[in-house]
């Protein structure tokens, strides 16, 4: 990069949203600088951990089967957010998702039919061949070949904004601070989930027990700087995508492999060996995103998914081996739970299971009777040793608190007027669309669409 | 069995670890057959690893696509670990077992065996025809070749070697097959066989997703596949040339080296000697194959120098290079032999050529060539499994 140069567009961040913005700004004729705080080996933020995005389509399209109409998409979306969304923005995103795949393929991203074991997603979600890191690699290759300048290990620490107009940013690289000027800014720096002190401010000390599933580089500093300098915010700081993952996962960056997908096949107890929620409420892919919050609400933020050998082999094999024992008492001992209490919980559950034809592929109505909380589907007695357990902790994917934007991806200031030249895309503005809840694959859809818009609009603004 | 009868426990442990990680992730399953085959399993024993390792073409797509690749803390280097396991399987299945050690310092072994072969060839020539025939300039085209080394001597020497090699391959294959059979041991169907054959001949899984593989670097490209095809089909054509030549000699009684086709015969002009053209078939096949064997191995060697060294099991460099260099030299000296037929150089060039070819064949069961045997075995097992074993686990 050239320090003396005034770039047309400065993009902060190095994930999907940032690169989509950089590529579309460059394709619209702007000079573009990307500052990514991670070193090259860890570039790509949370995007490097992803596998698919959700696209509407009126007919079968490339790797997507059947049709997934705007109305159906919208209904699915309303179910998870309960209406906590900005409808015009959300509808725009859904509509534009139809063109996403095509555009991504033009940027060198390759797709494949849905992964083995995820056939239920083959209609709604397009899977990246090789996953998110392959996607990120392709985007970087394309950006570089177009002449986008990229600096790694460059964390933006300060933004100069006056009257809603961005003029320059200070970033640090290899211990030195540098200033870079640009005519427009695209903030695509992710959420603040990797900032534990911030999480603790929102959640209290329980956040000490949260595991961050993705990049450790998304510390929310850019979000904070924008907030401090008058950007309007959306969302609540405790709202986030959080799943229950294996408690043995590393604190950061464990990614997809730390998932535990057997909740609906057995029971989940807390550290007092008590059940606390209906494990069979709905299909696991529709429910996995509520279990992070559920476990976060339990004492010491820990849970244990318990199954017997009937369930083994019928769910995605987790990366960590299960805790295994030949009796429930022995299992409790290994998990350091009260053996009598766990045995009582399992016995009570087994006694409440009603006869039925178990079928994990449908909502089979195999349920418990007279049990609180009930298990409403896939209830089977836990009686065939060996017994297995996976310890669970809340795994935070990304936070929803963000900056408000309009349809041009332009950041809205506290006076409800759009800023002059500041745009935002991806997790940092996902809260506009997602007030709460989550639909698998919508994170990448939001990043791609708003990234594209932000890049084009920033370039247009610069040229005007 | 030799002391290398099993893959080292550390390597098995690492193989098990990476399979567990990948099986929980599965993002790479669209690249090749290895991942779908992995998904048909929940646990990974040495035999599973040996099979999966030989199913891998080392295209390295799954390294660049991996969010857990070093320096990430999981340090997952899938292609390199499989490459290391593959080498151990070559030793494990080698026959006779005591020759397994030859996979150690394989480049050196290849060089020494080739040099020794040249000496043997020289000795045979001197023994049968004497120094005079070795250094004489042979003007008589038809007789020249066999004047240096009697045809019978050549056939007997290479015949014995060929039988030994075929035996070594067959035993190696059977050992691979038995080792990786598992408990179910489903039978091979004709359909599976055809599928495996076509996967092998087309290098189906070396194409990543239509636009090639991440070889020698991150950018998808088809270049390795093309060079591999040139090498494989070059070799096959040369083999065919030899086979056809042998049939001409023994079945049809057309003795002596085949004529070099004239332009007229090639263009099939009226009056051109059609029989001559047919008789020169071995030369045509051999020349086409020879061109493949110049371009293919040279290209593959060039690609190797440009590989990401993080992905290379450096213990195999000698083995890989040794085999490619011999293929290249075999072809080069073959062409020289044809070109220098009527000169005083024909004797020395023939010693070089036959020595190299002999070295190539002798080291075949104990060098890089075996990858093809076990890869075919793995593809065959894969084809069988596809129709008999389900994918395990779902969300
Ligand atoms: C394990 C996992 C699996 C997921 N799977 C899916 C999926 O299949 N489908 C889906 O739609 N979503 C998925 N998500 C969510 C998805 O990752 C995000 O919604 C999406 O990647 C957001 O893209 P982004 O560009 O906004 O953020 P990121 O990709 O996280 O990029 C943020 C970037 O900003 C950089 N940065 C941060 N601060 C600074 C700074 N101060 N200066 C410079 N750079 C900075 C970071 O280094 C990073 O590169 C998954 C998330 C995780 C963790
Ligand atoms: S190599 Fe990495 S990205 Fe590919 S399947 Fe394995 S863990 Fe997943
Ligand atoms: S290196 Fe290529 S062939 Fe081998 S496992 Fe990875 S993707 Fe498959």
């Amino acid at each position: 990069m050239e320090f003396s140069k005034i770039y047309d567009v400065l993009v902060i961040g190095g994930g999907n949203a940032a690169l989509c913005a950089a590529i579309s700004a460059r394709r619209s004729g702007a000079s573009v600088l990307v500052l990514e705080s991670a070193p090259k080996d860890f570039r790509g933020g949370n995007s490097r951990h992803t596998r698919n995005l959700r696209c509407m389509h009126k007919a079968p399209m490339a790797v997507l089967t059947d049709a997934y109409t705007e109305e159906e998409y919208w209904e699915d979306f309303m179910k998870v957010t309960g209406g906590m969304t900005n409808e015009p923005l959300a509808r725009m995103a859904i509509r534009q998702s139809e063109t996403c795949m095509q555009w991504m393929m033009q940027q060198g991203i390759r797709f494949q039919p849905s992964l083995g074991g995820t056939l239920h997603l083959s209609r709604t979600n397009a899977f990246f061949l090789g996953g998110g890191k392959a996607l990120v690699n392709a985007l970087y290759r394309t950006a570089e070949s177009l002449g986008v300048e990229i600096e790694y290990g460059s964390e933006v620490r300060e933004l100069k904004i006056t009257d809603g107009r961005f003029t320059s940013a200070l970033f640090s690289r290899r211990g030195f601070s540098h200033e870079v000027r640009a005519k427009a800014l695209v903030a695509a720096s992710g959420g603040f989930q990797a900032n534990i002190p911030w999480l603790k401010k929102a959640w209290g000390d329980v956040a000490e027990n949260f595991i961050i599933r993705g990049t450790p580089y998304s510390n929310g500093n850019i979000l904070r700087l924008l907030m401090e300098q008058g950007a309007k915010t959306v969302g609540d700081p405790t709202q986030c995508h959080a799943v229950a993952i294996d408690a043995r996962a590393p604190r950061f960056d464990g990614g997809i492999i730390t998932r535990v997908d057997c909740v609906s096949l057995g029971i989940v107890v807390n550290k007092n060996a008590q059940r606390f929620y209906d494990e069979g409420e709905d299909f696991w892919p529709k429910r996995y995103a509520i279990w992070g919050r559920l476990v976060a609400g339990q004492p010491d933020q820990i849970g244990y998914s318990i199954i017997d050998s009937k369930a083994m082999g019928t769910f995605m094999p987790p990366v960590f081996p299960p805790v295994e024992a030949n009796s429930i008492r022995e299992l409790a001992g290994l998990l350091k739970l009260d053996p009598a209490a766990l045995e009582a919980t399992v016995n009570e559950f087994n006694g409440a299971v009603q006869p039925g034809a178990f079928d994990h592929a449908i909502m089979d109505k195999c349920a418990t009777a007279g049990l609180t909380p009930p298990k409403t589907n896939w209830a089977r007695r836990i009686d065939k040793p060996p017994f297995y357990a996976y310890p669970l902790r809340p795994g935070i994917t990304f936070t929803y608190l963000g900056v408000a934007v309009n349809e041009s991806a332009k950041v809205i200031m506290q006076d409800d007027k759009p800023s002059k030249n500041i745009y935002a895309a991806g997790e940092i503005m996902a809260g506009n669309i997602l007030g709460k809840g989550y639909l698998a694959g919508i994170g990448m859809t939001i990043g791609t669409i708003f990234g594209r818009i932000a890049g084009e609009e920033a370039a247009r603004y610069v040229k005007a | 069995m030799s002391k290398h009868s099993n893959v080292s426990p550390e390597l098995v442990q690492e193989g098990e670890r990476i399979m567990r990680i990948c099986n929980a992730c599965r993002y790479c399953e669209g690249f090749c057959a290895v991942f779908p085959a992995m998904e048909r399993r929940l646990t990974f024993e040495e035999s599973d690893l040996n099979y999966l390792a030989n199913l891998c073409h080392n295209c390295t797509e799954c390294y660049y696509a991996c969010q857990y690749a070093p320096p990430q803390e999981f340090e997952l280097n899938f292609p390199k670990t499989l490459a290391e396991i593959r080498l151990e399987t070559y030793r494990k299945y080698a026959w006779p077992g005591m020759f397994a050690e030859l996979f150690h310092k394989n480049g050196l072994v290849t060089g020494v065996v080739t040099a020794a072969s040249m000496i043997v060839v020289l000795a045979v020539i001197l023994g049968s025809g004497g120094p005079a025939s070795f250094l004489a300039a042979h003007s008589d085209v038809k007789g020249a070749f066999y004047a240096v080394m009697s045809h019978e001597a050549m056939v007997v020497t290479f015949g014995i070697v060929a039988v030994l090699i075929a035996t070594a391959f067959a035993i190696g294959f059977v050992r691979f097959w038995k080792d990786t059979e598992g408990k179910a041991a489903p039978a091979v169907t004709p359909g599976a066989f055809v599928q495996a054959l076509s996967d092998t001949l087309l290098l189906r899984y070396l194409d990543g997703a239509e636009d090639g593989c991440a070889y020698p670097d991150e950018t998808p490209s088809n270049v390795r596949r093309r060079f591999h095809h040139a090498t494989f089909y070059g070799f096959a054509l040369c083999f065919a040339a030899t086979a056809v030549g042998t049939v001409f000699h023994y079945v049809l009684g057309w003795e002596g080296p085949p004529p070099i086709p004239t332009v007229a015969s090639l263009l099939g002009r009226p009056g051109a000697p059609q029989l001559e053209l047919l008789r020169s078939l071995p030369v045509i096949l051999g020349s086409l194959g020879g061109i493949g064997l110049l371009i293919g191995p040279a290209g593959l060697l060039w690609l190797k120098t440009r590989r990401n060294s993080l992905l290379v099991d450096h213990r195999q460099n000698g083995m890989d290079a040794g085999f490619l260099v011999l293929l290249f030299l075999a072809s080069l000296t073959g062409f020289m032999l044809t070109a220098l037929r009527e000169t005083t150089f024909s004797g020395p060039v023939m010693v070089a050529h036959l020595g190299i070819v002999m070295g190539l064949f002798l080291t075949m069961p104990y060098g890089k060539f075996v990858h093809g045997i076990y890869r075919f075995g793995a593809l065959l097992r894969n084809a069988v499994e596809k129709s008999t074993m389900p994918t395990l686990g779902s969300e």
Side-chain angles (χ1 to χ4, degrees), chain A residues 243-254:
Chain A
V243 299
I245 58 168
D246 199 302
R248 295 162 290 184
R251 187 73 198 268
F252 292 100
D253 214 36

Side-chain angles (χ1 to χ4, degrees), chain A residues 41-43 48-51 108 110-118 120-121 128-134 137-138 141 250-259 261 284-285 288 312-322 360 390, chain B residues 17-32 38-39 41-44 61-74 76 207-214 217-221 310 391-395:
Chain A
D41 284 322
F42 291 99
R43 70 184 183 186
R48 68 204 281 281
H49 284 289
T50 62
R51 56 179 185 177
R110 298 177 286 172
F111 288 88
Q112 65 162 85
S114 75
L115 297 179
T118 59
H120 56 275
L121 286 173
F128 316 130
L129 179 72
K133 193 170 170 202
N137 290 344
R141 272 201 303 273
R251 187 73 198 268
F252 292 100
D253 214 36
I256 193 75
I257 58 170
T258 63
R259 67 177 163 198
D261 285 341
W284 178 240
Y288 75 104
M312 239 330 147
T314 60
F315 55 97
M316 280 281 196
V319 71
F320 297 102
H360 202 224
Y390 296 92
Chain B
R17 186 186 79 93
I18 64 168
M19 289 299 166
R20 251 198 120 82
I21 293 178
C22 290
N23 209 15
C25 170
R26 305 188 170 187
Y27 285 5
C28 289
E29 68 169 30
F31 285 138
C32 66
M38 170 191 83
E39 290 171 18
R41 297 164 161 73
L42 292 174
T43 54
F44 301 90
E61 284 272 15
C62 64
Y63 176 85
Y64 293 105
C66 185
Q67 61 274 26
Y68 303 111
Q72 210 272 359
E73 67 176 287
F74 286 102
L76 187 76
D207 78 340
E210 284 147 32
D211 48 358
C213 278
D217 61 21
E218 186 204 307
T219 319
S221 131
L310 285 173
T391 298
L392 295 180
S394 69
E395 288 186 348

Side-chain angles (χ1 to χ4, degrees), chain A residues 15-16 38 71 92 121 162 169 201 304 315 359 361 377 387 391 455:
Chain A
N16 178 57
E71 264 334 287
M92 179 186 84
L121 286 173
T162 27
K201 235 166 48 190
Y304 301 90
F315 55 97
D359 184 351
N377 285 290
F387 302 100

Side-chain angles (χ1 to χ4, degrees), chain A residues 167-198:
Chain A
T167 49
S168 71
L170 289 182
F171 70 96
S172 97
R173 195 178 51 181
R174 292 191 214 102
F176 292 96
S177 185
H178 307 279
E179 179 166 23
V180 59
R181 287 172 296 166
K183 294 177 195 155
L185 172 71
V186 177
S189 50
F192 70 86
Q193 62 277 0
N195 187 329
I196 307 288
W198 195 343

Side-chain angles (χ1 to χ4, degrees), chain B residues 258-275:
Chain B
I260 300 172
T262 60
V263 176
S265 69
L266 273 180
L267 293 177
R269 287 225 191 86
Q274 296 298 323
L275 190 63

